[in-house]
Amino acid sequence: MGRRAHVLFIEDEEYRNDKMIRFLRANGLEVSLAGTLSEALSAAQSGNYGCILLDVMIPPGEGENSESEALTAGVEFLRRLRGGALPGADAQTPVIVLTGRPEAAVEEEMRALGLDAFLNKPESMKVVLSTIQKAIA
């Protein structure tokens, strides 16, 4: 029996959001969106997701330390999720990164935290879908 087909999509670029959300929904997935680190942390605690699709560069958002760099907000999200710092969230939820800044050091750090897949933008939506389907299987 697989995981729930509900994806938390953490991405702040609206043009990418609409296109990806429509595509994922057309392929049978339920999708929730978060555009900042604070929204993502809240959503992760309140939802039961089969997979998280995460951009590395997201704005910190309200209530987060202004020193939190957008360049590493995705890393911070993964650190908190895997560290059990998000009550109600499943720390083992598969996380797939979809980023436009494929920096080796960031990928290495995220893999060490338990990242499931690291994809570069622009990635084929079919590859993204396939990666999500494998993660929730």
Coordinates of all heavy atoms in Angstrom, one line a residue, residues 33-104:
L33 N -0.3 24.2 -1.7 CA 0.8 25.1 -2.0 C 1.2 26.0 -0.8 O 0.4 26.4 0.0 CB 0.3 26.1 -3.1 CG 1.3 27.2 -3.6 CD1 2.5 26.5 -4.2 CD2 0.6 28.1 -4.5
A34 N 2.5 26.2 -0.7 CA 3.1 27.1 0.3 C 4.1 27.9 -0.4 O 4.9 27.3 -1.2 CB 3.7 26.3 1.4
G35 N 4.1 29.2 -0.2 CA 5.0 30.1 -0.9 C 6.2 30.7 -0.1 O 7.1 31.3 -0.7
T36 N 6.2 30.4 1.2 CA 7.3 30.9 2.1 C 7.6 29.8 3.0 O 6.9 28.8 3.2 CB 6.8 32.1 2.9 OG1 5.8 31.7 3.8 CG2 6.3 33.3 2.0
L37 N 8.8 30.0 3.7 CA 9.2 29.0 4.7 C 8.2 28.9 5.8 O 7.8 27.8 6.2 CB 10.6 29.4 5.3 CG 11.1 28.5 6.4 CD1 11.2 27.1 6.0 CD2 12.4 29.1 6.9
S38 N 7.6 30.0 6.3 CA 6.7 30.0 7.4 C 5.4 29.3 7.0 O 4.8 28.5 7.7 CB 6.4 31.4 8.0 OG 5.9 32.2 7.0
E39 N 4.9 29.5 5.7 CA 3.7 28.8 5.2 C 4.0 27.3 5.1 O 3.2 26.5 5.4 CB 3.3 29.3 3.8 CG 2.7 30.7 3.9 CD 2.5 31.3 2.5 OE1 2.7 30.6 1.5 OE2 2.1 32.4 2.4
A40 N 5.2 27.0 4.6 CA 5.6 25.5 4.5 C 5.6 24.8 5.8 O 5.2 23.7 5.9 CB 6.9 25.4 3.7
L41 N 6.2 25.5 6.8 CA 6.3 24.9 8.1 C 4.9 24.6 8.7 O 4.6 23.6 9.3 CB 7.1 25.7 9.1 CG 8.6 25.9 8.7 CD1 9.3 27.0 9.5 CD2 9.4 24.6 8.8
S42 N 4.0 25.6 8.6 CA 2.7 25.5 9.0 C 1.9 24.4 8.3 O 1.2 23.5 8.9 CB 1.9 26.8 8.9 OG 0.6 26.7 9.3
A43 N 2.0 24.4 7.0 CA 1.3 23.4 6.2 C 1.8 22.0 6.5 O 1.0 21.0 6.6 CB 1.5 23.7 4.7
A44 N 3.1 21.8 6.7 CA 3.6 20.5 7.0 C 3.1 19.9 8.3 O 2.8 18.7 8.4 CB 5.2 20.5 7.0
Q45 N 2.8 20.8 9.2 CA 2.3 20.4 10.5 C 0.8 20.1 10.5 O 0.3 19.3 11.3 CB 2.6 21.5 11.6 CG 4.0 21.6 11.9 CD 4.2 22.8 12.9 OE1 4.0 22.6 14.1 NE2 4.7 23.9 12.4
S46 N 0.1 20.6 9.5 CA -1.3 20.5 9.5 C -1.8 19.5 8.5 O -3.0 19.3 8.4 CB -2.0 21.8 9.3 OG -1.7 22.3 8.0
G47 N -0.9 18.9 7.7 CA -1.4 18.1 6.6 C -0.7 16.7 6.7 O 0.3 16.5 7.3
N48 N -1.4 15.8 6.0 CA -0.9 14.4 5.9 C -0.5 14.2 4.4 O -1.3 13.9 3.6 CB -1.9 13.4 6.3 CG -1.5 12.0 6.2 OD1 -0.3 11.7 6.1 ND2 -2.4 11.1 6.2
Y49 N 0.8 14.5 4.1 CA 1.3 14.5 2.7 C 2.0 13.2 2.4 O 2.8 12.6 3.2 CB 2.2 15.7 2.5 CG 1.5 17.0 2.8 CD1 1.7 17.6 4.0 CD2 0.6 17.5 1.9 CE1 1.0 18.8 4.3 CE2 -0.1 18.7 2.1 CZ 0.1 19.3 3.3 OH -0.5 20.5 3.6
G50 N 1.8 12.8 1.1 CA 2.5 11.6 0.7 C 3.9 12.0 0.2 O 4.8 11.2 0.1
C51 N 4.1 13.3 -0.2 CA 5.3 13.7 -0.7 C 5.4 15.3 -0.6 O 4.3 15.9 -0.6 CB 5.4 13.3 -2.2 SG 6.9 13.8 -3.0
I52 N 6.6 15.8 -0.5 CA 6.8 17.3 -0.5 C 7.7 17.6 -1.7 O 8.8 17.0 -1.8 CB 7.4 17.7 0.8 CG1 6.4 17.4 2.0 CG2 7.7 19.2 0.8 CD1 7.0 17.6 3.4
L53 N 7.2 18.5 -2.5 CA 8.0 19.1 -3.6 C 8.5 20.4 -3.2 O 7.7 21.3 -3.0 CB 7.1 19.1 -4.9 CG 7.8 19.5 -6.2 CD1 8.9 18.5 -6.5 CD2 6.8 19.5 -7.3
L54 N 9.8 20.6 -3.0 CA 10.4 21.7 -2.4 C 11.4 22.5 -3.2 O 12.3 21.9 -3.8 CB 11.2 21.2 -1.1 CG 12.0 22.1 -0.3 CD1 11.2 23.2 0.4 CD2 12.8 21.3 0.8
D55 N 11.2 23.8 -3.3 CA 12.2 24.7 -3.9 C 13.2 25.1 -2.8 O 12.8 25.3 -1.7 CB 11.5 25.9 -4.4 CG 12.4 26.9 -5.2 OD1 13.6 26.5 -5.5 OD2 11.9 28.0 -5.6
V56 N 14.5 25.2 -3.2 CA 15.5 25.5 -2.2 C 15.3 27.0 -1.8 O 15.5 27.4 -0.6 CB 16.9 25.2 -2.7 CG1 17.9 25.7 -1.7 CG2 17.1 23.7 -2.9
M57 N 15.1 27.8 -2.8 CA 15.1 29.3 -2.6 C 13.6 29.8 -2.4 O 12.9 29.9 -3.4 CB 15.7 30.0 -3.8 CG 17.2 29.8 -3.9 SD 17.9 30.7 -5.3 CE 17.2 32.3 -5.1
I58 N 13.2 30.0 -1.2 CA 11.9 30.5 -0.9 C 12.1 31.6 0.1 O 13.0 31.6 0.9 CB 10.9 29.4 -0.4 CG1 11.5 28.6 0.8 CG2 10.5 28.5 -1.5 CD1 10.6 27.7 1.5
P59 N 11.2 32.6 0.1 CA 11.3 33.7 1.1 C 11.0 33.1 2.5 O 10.3 32.2 2.7 CB 10.2 34.7 0.8 CG 9.6 34.2 -0.5 CD 10.1 32.8 -0.8
P60 N 11.7 33.7 3.6 CA 11.5 33.2 4.9 C 10.0 33.3 5.4 O 9.5 32.4 6.0 CB 12.4 34.1 5.8 CG 13.4 34.6 4.8 CD 12.7 34.7 3.5
G61 N 9.4 34.4 5.1 CA 8.0 34.6 5.5 C 7.8 35.1 6.9 O 8.8 35.2 7.7
E62 N 6.6 35.4 7.3 CA 6.3 36.0 8.6 C 6.6 35.1 9.7 O 6.4 33.9 9.7 CB 4.8 36.3 8.6 CG 4.3 37.1 9.8 CD 2.9 37.5 9.7 OE1 2.4 37.8 8.6 OE2 2.2 37.5 10.8
G63 N 7.2 35.7 10.7 CA 7.6 35.0 11.9 C 8.9 34.3 11.9 O 9.4 33.8 12.9
E64 N 9.5 34.3 10.7 CA 10.8 33.6 10.6 C 11.9 34.7 10.7 O 11.7 35.8 10.4 CB 11.0 32.9 9.2 CG 10.2 31.6 9.2 CD 10.6 30.6 10.2 OE1 11.8 30.3 10.4 OE2 9.7 30.1 10.9
N65 N 13.0 34.3 11.2 CA 14.2 35.1 11.4 C 14.5 35.8 10.1 O 14.7 35.2 9.1 CB 15.4 34.3 11.9 CG 16.6 35.2 12.3 OD1 16.7 36.3 11.8 ND2 17.5 34.6 13.0
S66 N 14.6 37.2 10.1 CA 14.9 37.9 8.9 C 16.3 37.6 8.4 O 16.6 37.9 7.2 CB 14.7 39.4 9.1 OG 15.6 39.8 10.1
E67 N 17.1 37.0 9.2 CA 18.4 36.6 8.8 C 18.4 35.3 8.0 O 19.4 34.9 7.4 CB 19.4 36.5 10.0 CG 19.6 37.8 10.7 CD 20.5 37.6 12.0 OE1 21.1 36.6 12.2 OE2 20.5 38.6 12.7
S68 N 17.3 34.6 8.0 CA 17.2 33.4 7.3 C 17.3 33.7 5.8 O 16.5 34.5 5.3 CB 15.8 32.7 7.5 OG 15.7 32.2 8.8
E69 N 18.3 33.2 5.1 CA 18.5 33.5 3.7 C 17.5 32.7 2.9 O 17.3 31.5 3.1 CB 19.9 33.2 3.4 CG 21.0 34.0 4.1 CD 21.0 35.4 3.6 OE1 20.7 35.7 2.4 OE2 21.4 36.3 4.4
A70 N 17.0 33.4 1.9 CA 16.1 32.7 0.9 C 16.9 31.6 0.2 O 16.3 30.6 -0.2 CB 15.6 33.7 -0.1
L71 N 18.2 31.8 0.1 CA 19.0 30.8 -0.6 C 19.0 29.4 0.1 O 19.3 28.4 -0.4 CB 20.5 31.3 -0.8 CG 20.7 32.4 -1.7 CD1 22.1 32.9 -1.7 CD2 20.3 32.0 -3.1
T72 N 18.8 29.5 1.4 CA 18.8 28.2 2.2 C 17.5 27.9 3.0 O 17.5 27.0 3.8 CB 20.0 28.3 3.2 OG1 19.8 29.4 4.1 CG2 21.3 28.4 2.5
A73 N 16.5 28.6 2.7 CA 15.2 28.4 3.4 C 14.7 27.0 3.2 O 14.2 26.3 4.1 CB 14.2 29.4 3.0
G74 N 14.9 26.4 2.0 CA 14.5 25.0 1.7 C 15.3 24.0 2.6 O 14.8 23.0 3.1
V75 N 16.6 24.3 2.8 CA 17.5 23.5 3.6 C 16.9 23.5 5.1 O 16.8 22.5 5.7 CB 18.9 23.9 3.6 CG1 19.8 23.1 4.5 CG2 19.5 23.8 2.1
E76 N 16.6 24.7 5.5 CA 16.0 24.9 6.9 C 14.7 24.1 7.0 O 14.5 23.5 8.1 CB 15.8 26.4 7.2 CG 15.3 26.6 8.6 CD 16.2 26.2 9.7 OE1 17.4 26.0 9.5 OE2 15.7 26.0 10.8
F77 N 13.9 24.2 6.0 CA 12.6 23.4 6.1 C 13.0 21.9 6.2 O 12.4 21.2 7.1 CB 11.8 23.6 4.8 CG 10.6 22.7 4.8 CD1 9.4 23.1 5.4 CD2 10.6 21.5 4.1 CE1 8.3 22.2 5.4 CE2 9.5 20.6 4.1 CZ 8.4 21.0 4.8
L78 N 13.8 21.4 5.4 CA 14.2 20.0 5.5 C 14.8 19.6 6.8 O 14.5 18.6 7.4 CB 15.1 19.6 4.3 CG 15.5 18.1 4.2 CD1 14.2 17.2 4.0 CD2 16.4 17.9 3.1
R79 N 15.7 20.5 7.3 CA 16.3 20.2 8.6 C 15.3 20.1 9.7 O 15.3 19.2 10.6 CB 17.3 21.4 9.0 CG 18.0 21.2 10.3 CD 19.0 22.3 10.5 NE 20.1 22.3 9.6 CZ 20.4 23.2 8.6 NH1 19.6 24.2 8.5 NH2 21.4 23.0 7.8
R80 N 14.3 21.0 9.7 CA 13.2 21.0 10.8 C 12.3 19.8 10.6 O 12.0 19.1 11.6 CB 12.4 22.3 10.7 CG 13.2 23.5 11.2 CD 12.3 24.7 11.3 NE 13.1 25.9 11.3 CZ 12.5 27.1 11.5 NH1 11.2 27.3 11.6 NH2 13.3 28.2 11.5
L81 N 12.0 19.4 9.4 CA 11.1 18.3 9.1 C 11.8 17.0 9.6 O 11.3 16.2 10.4 CB 10.8 18.2 7.6 CG 10.0 16.9 7.2 CD1 8.5 17.0 7.8 CD2 9.9 16.8 5.7
R82 N 13.0 16.8 9.1 CA 13.7 15.5 9.5 C 14.1 15.5 10.9 O 14.3 14.4 11.5 CB 15.0 15.4 8.6 CG 14.7 15.1 7.1 CD 14.0 13.8 6.9 NE 13.9 13.5 5.5 CZ 12.8 13.4 4.8 NH1 11.6 13.6 5.4 NH2 12.8 13.1 3.5
G83 N 14.3 16.6 11.5 CA 14.7 16.7 12.9 C 13.5 16.5 13.9 O 13.7 16.6 15.1
G84 N 12.3 16.4 13.4 CA 11.2 16.2 14.2 C 10.7 17.5 14.9 O 10.0 17.4 15.9
A85 N 11.1 18.6 14.4 CA 10.7 19.9 15.0 C 9.4 20.4 14.5 O 9.0 21.6 14.9 CB 11.8 20.9 14.7
L86 N 8.6 19.6 13.8 CA 7.3 20.1 13.3 C 6.2 19.1 13.8 O 5.9 18.1 13.2 CB 7.3 20.1 11.8 CG 8.4 21.0 11.1 CD1 8.3 20.8 9.6 CD2 8.3 22.4 11.5
P87 N 5.7 19.5 15.0 CA 4.6 18.6 15.6 C 3.5 18.3 14.6 O 3.0 19.2 13.9 CB 4.1 19.4 16.7 CG 5.2 20.4 17.0 CD 5.9 20.7 15.7
G88 N 3.1 17.1 14.4 CA 2.1 16.7 13.5 C 2.5 16.3 12.2 O 1.8 15.7 11.4
A89 N 3.8 16.7 11.8 CA 4.3 16.3 10.5 C 5.0 15.0 10.6 O 5.6 14.6 11.6 CB 5.3 17.4 10.1
D90 N 5.0 14.2 9.5 CA 5.7 12.9 9.4 C 7.1 13.2 9.0 O 7.3 13.6 7.8 CB 5.0 12.0 8.4 CG 5.7 10.7 8.2 OD1 6.8 10.4 8.8 OD2 5.1 9.8 7.5
A91 N 8.1 13.0 9.9 CA 9.5 13.4 9.6 C 10.0 12.5 8.5 O 11.1 12.9 7.9 CB 10.3 13.2 10.8
Q92 N 9.4 11.4 8.1 CA 9.9 10.6 7.0 C 9.2 10.8 5.7 O 9.4 10.1 4.7 CB 9.7 9.1 7.4 CG 10.4 8.7 8.7 CD 11.9 9.1 8.6 OE1 12.6 8.8 7.6 NE2 12.4 9.8 9.6
T93 N 8.3 11.8 5.6 CA 7.7 12.2 4.3 C 8.7 12.4 3.2 O 9.7 13.1 3.4 CB 6.8 13.4 4.4 OG1 5.9 13.3 5.5 CG2 6.1 13.8 3.1
P94 N 8.6 11.7 2.1 CA 9.6 11.9 1.0 C 9.6 13.3 0.6 O 8.6 14.0 0.5 CB 9.0 11.0 -0.1 CG 8.2 10.0 0.6 CD 7.6 10.7 1.7
V95 N 10.8 13.8 0.4 CA 11.0 15.2 -0.1 C 11.8 15.2 -1.4 O 12.9 14.6 -1.4 CB 11.8 16.1 1.0 CG1 12.0 17.5 0.5 CG2 11.0 16.1 2.3
I96 N 11.3 15.9 -2.4 CA 11.9 16.0 -3.7 C 12.2 17.5 -3.9 O 11.3 18.4 -3.8 CB 11.0 15.5 -4.8 CG1 10.6 14.1 -4.6 CG2 11.6 15.8 -6.2 CD1 9.5 13.6 -5.4
V97 N 13.4 17.9 -4.1 CA 13.8 19.2 -4.4 C 13.7 19.5 -5.9 O 14.1 18.7 -6.7 CB 15.2 19.5 -3.9 CG1 15.8 20.8 -4.5 CG2 15.2 19.7 -2.4
L98 N 13.1 20.7 -6.2 CA 13.1 21.1 -7.6 C 13.6 22.6 -7.5 O 13.0 23.5 -7.0 CB 11.6 21.1 -8.1 CG 11.4 21.5 -9.6 CD1 12.2 20.6 -10.5 CD2 10.0 21.5 -9.9
T99 N 14.9 22.7 -8.0 CA 15.5 24.0 -7.8 C 16.2 24.6 -9.1 O 16.6 23.8 -10.0 CB 16.6 23.9 -6.7 OG1 17.2 25.2 -6.5 CG2 17.7 22.9 -7.1
G100 N 16.3 25.9 -9.2 CA 17.0 26.5 -10.3 C 18.4 26.8 -9.9 O 19.2 27.3 -10.7
R101 N 18.8 26.5 -8.7 CA 20.2 26.7 -8.3 C 20.8 25.4 -7.8 O 20.9 25.2 -6.6 CB 20.2 27.8 -7.1 CG 19.8 29.1 -7.6 CD 19.9 30.1 -6.5 NE 21.3 30.2 -6.0 CZ 22.1 31.2 -6.3 NH1 21.7 32.3 -7.0 NH2 23.3 31.2 -5.8
P102 N 21.2 24.6 -8.8 CA 21.7 23.3 -8.4 C 23.2 23.3 -7.9 O 24.1 22.9 -8.6 CB 21.6 22.5 -9.7 CG 21.8 23.6 -10.8 CD 21.2 24.8 -10.2
E103 N 23.4 23.9 -6.7 CA 24.7 24.0 -6.1 C 25.0 22.7 -5.4 O 24.3 22.2 -4.6 CB 24.7 25.1 -5.2 CG 24.5 26.5 -5.9 CD 24.5 27.6 -4.9 OE1 24.9 27.5 -3.8 OE2 24.0 28.7 -5.4
A104 N 26.2 22.1 -5.7 CA 26.6 20.8 -5.2 C 26.6 20.8 -3.7 O 26.2 19.8 -3.1 CB 28.0 20.5 -5.8

